[in-house]
Amino acid sequence: MDVKIHASWKEVLKEEFSKPYFLQLVTFLKTEKVLGRIIYPPGPLIFNAFNTTPFNQVQVVILGQDPYHGKGQAHGLSFSVPDGIKPPPSLVNIFKEIRSDLGVEMPADYGNLTHWASQGVFLLNAILTVRNNEPASHSKFGWGEFTDRVIEKISDQTEHTVFLLWGRFAQDKQVLIDETRHLVLKAAHPSPFSAANGFFGCKHFSKTNQYLSNHGKMPIDWKIPNPQA
């Protein structure tokens, strides 16, 4: 697998690509392909988050677990879906919280978050690939180690970044973040099973923008442009 990743990330992560765990991961993904397994997202989009948000533009990190495992849903940005795909329940709840927090009306029928990513919202899944209809099927093959290093690099080499950690899985990554340099905001996961336990009402979007403004950074425009407008 040729790692098609933005030059800024390639430089920051160059040591990782030659480590045994990453080479084993590449071999595993090639084997999956040989076996005819359907993998999401498509190969060119595995590093979409890295290519849409260069390293030196990262202002906010929203950490997901692994990609959507349904046909056409995953495109390499956590919680996001491509144009033409209905927002899944967790994303619908994210939109509800934004509406409640900021008074911004959010879309009901599209959920492509590229607009966020292009402003510096790094939409990182901890696991970057998944088999069709098999959630967490690639969770034990090296991606977790790779994305832990990604989080550490952001923590060590950027200033005043906001980390949004939703749910226990994401919050386990808190130990990788230097909280003397960055803001960590935690809440329940936006899934319908847990959103009422502290995600709704967390006001993470206004808190993020206030922190960025306080440190001389541009706040995020959380509106989602209508692709048909």
Side-chain angles (χ1 to χ4, degrees):
M1 182 181 74
D2 179 24
V3 180
K4 294 181 172 62
I5 190 169
H6 190 274
S8 62
W9 285 104
K10 190 166 274 191
E11 176 61 26
V12 169
L13 298 168
K14 59 186 176 184
E15 294 175 2
E16 299 304 310
F17 299 129
S18 60
K19 288 183 178 177
Y21 83 87
F22 196 87
L23 298 176
Q24 290 168 8
L25 172 60
V26 171
T27 299
F28 166 73
L29 292 173
K30 287 178 177 176
T31 301
E32 291 280 86
K33 189 173 182 180
V34 168
L35 292 173
R37 303 254 167 80
I38 298 172
I39 305 302
Y40 301 131
L45 294 177
I46 291 174
F47 291 101
N48 192 19
F50 299 80
N51 291 324
T52 310
T53 310
F55 181 77
N56 58 359
Q57 294 178 21
V58 173
Q59 297 200 84
V60 181
V61 178
I62 299 180
L63 185 64
Q65 191 159 352
D66 68 342
Y68 296 124
H69 56 271
K71 182 179 179 181
Q73 290 182 306
H75 68 143
L77 305 176
S78 63
F79 295 101
S80 180
V81 289
D83 291 342
I85 301 295
K86 184 178 178 181
S90 291
L91 184 52
V92 170
N93 286 338
I94 291 170
F95 286 169
K96 287 179 180 177
E97 176 58 23
I98 291 173
R99 184 173 61 220
S100 171
D101 185 9
L102 300 174
V104 172
E105 203 55 45
M106 300 302 287
D109 57 351
Y110 52 94
N112 188 332
L113 306 183
T114 300
H115 178 62
W116 296 0
S118 65
Q119 298 176 77
V121 181
F122 186 46
L123 297 168
L124 176 68
N125 279 317
I127 311 302
L128 297 188
T129 56
V130 69
R131 281 185 205 136
N132 177 46
N133 291 329
E134 293 186 45
S137 49
H138 285 185
S139 63
K140 302 187 187 306
F141 297 97
W143 281 130
E145 184 170 350
F146 176 73
T147 55
D148 280 359
R149 301 294 81 74
V150 170
I151 294 167
E152 287 178 342
K153 296 290 188 183
I154 296 170
S155 176
D156 292 346
Q157 298 183 31
T158 71
E159 295 287 345
H160 307 308
T161 298
V162 183
F163 291 82
L164 303 184
L165 305 182
W166 299 332
R168 186 176 301 168
F169 176 88
Q171 289 164 19
D172 285 346
K173 307 297 185 182
Q174 186 173 359
V175 297
L176 305 171
I177 302 163
D178 181 351
E179 294 184 66
T180 67
R181 299 171 60 169
H182 307 288
L183 176 65
V184 173
L185 297 176
K186 298 186 292 182
H189 194 277
S191 158
F193 300 107
S194 56
N197 297 329
F199 179 77
F200 290 140
C202 70
K203 298 188 180 300
H204 279 186
F205 303 95
S206 60
K207 289 176 180 177
T208 292
N209 280 354
Q210 187 62 59
Y211 180 85
L212 294 174
S213 295
N214 288 349
H215 291 91
K217 296 187 171 188
M218 285 290 292
I220 304 300
D221 174 15
W222 295 106
K223 293 193 297 292
I224 305 295
N226 186 336
Q228 291 153 358

